[in-house]
Amino acid sequence: MTAERYDARAAEPKWQKAWDEARTFETKNDDPRPKYYVLEMFPYPSGRIHMGHVRNYAMGDVVARVKRAKGFNVLHPMGWDAFGLPAENAAIERKVHPREWTYSNIATMRGQLKSMGLSLDWSREIATCDPSYYRHQQKLFLDFLKAGLVDRKKSKVNWDPVDNTVLANEQVIDGHGWRSGAPVEIRELTQWFLKISDYSDELLGALDHLDRWPEKVRLMQKNWIGKSEGLLVRFMLEGARDNLSEVEVYTTRPDTLFGAAFVAVAPDHPIAQAAAKDDKKLKAFIEEARKTGTSAAAIETAEKHGYDTGISAVHPLDPKRKVPVYVANFILMDYGTGAIFGCPAHDQRDFEFATKYHLPIVRVVQNGPEDAPGVPLLEADTGEDGTLVNSEFLNGLSVQEAKDAVAKRLEAASIGNRPTGKRQVNYRLRDWGISRQRYWGCPIPIIHCEEHGAVPVPDKDLPVQLPDDITFDRPGNPLDHHPTWKNVPCPVCGKPSRRETDTMDTFVDSSWYFARFTSPDRTDVPVDRKIADHWLPVDQYIGGIEHAILHLLYSRFFTRAMKKAGYTSLDEPFAGLFTQGMVVHETYRANGEWVSPEDIVITGEGAARGATTKAGAAVEIGSIEKMSKSKKNVVDPDDIIARYGADTARWFMLSDSPPERDVIWTESGVEGAGRFVQRLWRIVTGIAALAVSGKPAQFSEDALALRRATHAAIAAVDENIEALRFNVAVAKIYELSNAALTRLNSGADDASVRWALREAGETLVQLIAPMMPHLAEECWAVFGKDTLVARAPWPKAEASLLVSDTITLPVQVNGKRRDEITVPAAASPAEIEEAVRKLESVVRASEGKPLKKVIVVPKRIVNVVV
RNA sequence: GCGGUCGUGGCGGAACUGGUAGACGCAAGGGACUUAAAAUCCCUCGCCCGAAAGGGAGUGUGGGUUCGACUCCCACCGACCGCACCA
């Protein structure tokens, strides 16, 4: 047996070179085998890869390698989500050109990814900041424009005052910019929009068929789209100026119409605006409401305020009833009609409002005697179970019946030739504003002419390239400050015109890259339709949960838009989605300063667990958090790869924690993974040293036991990898390696044992190959193979070795395990019962009393009831 | 507030559709080898009683269904995540 240690540092580059030279992972589009497209979310080239990338790409690589071994033609590409703000920040802070900064980061990170030994087809690499990519994106934009999927409109936008740009609704989190974290302000700008809301219902409905997506993500998207079914209701007004004779409200609870206590409109509603013309107080109120609408702090504490306009609204079901019209700060102008009727008894906001302004609170839905009309409500009753009361012709109906009855009655009634009510479905999802006032993004290919308006850049002039000579010496968009770039003739009339200086939201870049990977060599079109239709959808997409809404929803829309524009034939880009957890690490502080894990020593365990710095100072162990530079709890993949090798890093990322949960990075965990690499190496070199001849006709009992372990491991590892339960697959590999090592250490005089050991060894190598590919190749060579294990077919479990002649069943007495019994596998339940009744432990436990019942569950368990 | 996910040893976690709870790894303890250390190998390792054999309770808490519950149902407690004036 060799005592040499496995040298990852020497072996890993060697095998990476071997794969490269054999073009092992380059994929041909015309390969006749069934296709399988594995994709991990491509990285932003921030500078260096982090452990999260290692985990993400290790998982994807396991899937890619296993599918390849199973005979699929696997597409597993990599690229760069390369436009974005950090490049501009680097330009400002360090005077580096965004392009230079980005490409140098890409070079570094490409090198790091290559050192991981991922089975990627690098010949398909793309970077979204490259004109060879974004020219097609500009073409797509223009085709979407033709297809009626683009809109240009003035709108209130979320303005990020730190990044100096517009954000989509999805990019505002708790009133703060998703990247800068700055409180978002509201501004009015003319913006380009992609009409994602045209697809609201389809994007919602199709979620039901995405059965290989996490339930959680589907639910988040469903809530985001926010479908509601309701009724538009017209209220006639008395006392409004500017000929505003009515207000239309939107409601999902028309059944509660007889509980209406007021009508409220948004501060920006025309009625509010008109009323404010000769009401200074109202004007001030509206100003105030606007302010609180934008400041993030106010949103949290937001108290409901209203202003009585003095206008009356006539109840549409009973003209004798009149309710006051308020302007209220909690009404949103861009949802529904910007106006509501308030029913305090059955809506919590309306309840608070009515309480504050002493408006009547009348219950109209009753569910049980405790809801009697005389009993005052302490809060709104928002339940939809119950029966209508106090509601004239609706009395006695259920909520659903009443909704229908009101809708029918109002649809039939009309004022001025228009029906008083109209059913309407509303969505929370708004159109996707894609204009960004930034330099480092895809230019929007439009030229503004005074005469001809927004004119598309002709195809022959694409791409509209970003100019290189730009400066970042003043705030705002460098494209707008550029002396010449934006001055171009109108494509229609040739008169001096102005180029659009906004660039596209970078989420546009990532909304179709998966399609571009299918034919990245086509310079003439964004995608080759036939090839894209062949490869798409992505069979397995893997990435972080943080993209549950933004990226995934945009991509689903974009895929439909591409279909409409004639580029592909599919609706859904990702058939299978897996969201992996983060890599987290303990945090440490000494004297109020964050301390890096490298600089501390852990002492004790359990409650006594503590830490000191290497210099001996007391260290406070903090919470476990996502690795971040600011908390110094970062472990650099390069260091780990240099010290242990890529295989160890990959193995550790796949072990222990379920892939969808966070994994805690620990020093001892990596060491354990490193030990396993050496142990496997010893097992393999030990087995390889044994003399083996042909497959024996007879196996000894020991040999057979090992063979059973081998084939059970194949079955279990396969099953768990298919289900993406990498941690369990790893455990099953440990079991087989333990069995093999034990066998090896207790001697192998028997030829059939040696054969079984050899089988176990080779199987082990194949099973680890998707996770630790370099070690596997080295071991494969030790076994004398002159082929790559990366090209070897996936092992198959022999069915005959997965079953045995006898089985051991646990025996319970009254549900407690008391004994076990070994019976022939073919034994009938009656025979088993017979044998169990005679068991000494059963006789003892029953104390001579007759057995009430014996339950035999075939192949599982026997339970005796005494 | 609404919606969701999850609570299992010192730690990460496993347990197929209701059928031996704690696989596997980490940490810990003991031993072998060594001049010594590292590496490696062997043994022990959830809790309580017991020298052992064996026994008892046990998967956040309380109840229920079942021959049998980590798994299903009800209520509660806790952690995490998402949404949050969407009419």
Side-chain angles (χ1 to χ4, degrees), chain A residues 779-838:
Chain A
C779 293
W780 206 236
V782 166
F783 278 135
K785 313 274 183 184
D786 54 7
T787 52
L788 290 170
V789 71
R791 287 213 167 122
W794 191 240
K796 278 202 184 74
E798 281 178 31
S800 64
L801 288 166
L802 297 178
V803 293
S804 69
D805 306 341
T806 61
I807 41 175
T808 301
L809 296 173
V811 177
Q812 296 182 333
V813 177
N814 288 339
K816 295 260 173 222
R817 185 182 178 281
R818 282 298 123 111
D819 205 347
E820 57 185 34
I821 186 168
T822 302
V823 295
S828 72
E831 288 165 342
I832 294 170
E833 180 172 341
E834 183 72 34
V836 166
R837 282 175 180 279
K838 288 182 193 147

Side-chain angles (χ1 to χ4, degrees), chain A residues 19 23-27 65 68 74 118-122 790:
Chain A
W19 295 324
R23 302 185 161 224
T24 320
F25 308 123
E26 284 185 25
T27 305
R65 286 175 182 269
R68 223 177 263 118
V74 170
L118 301 168
S119 67
L120 292 164
D121 182 353
W122 284 103

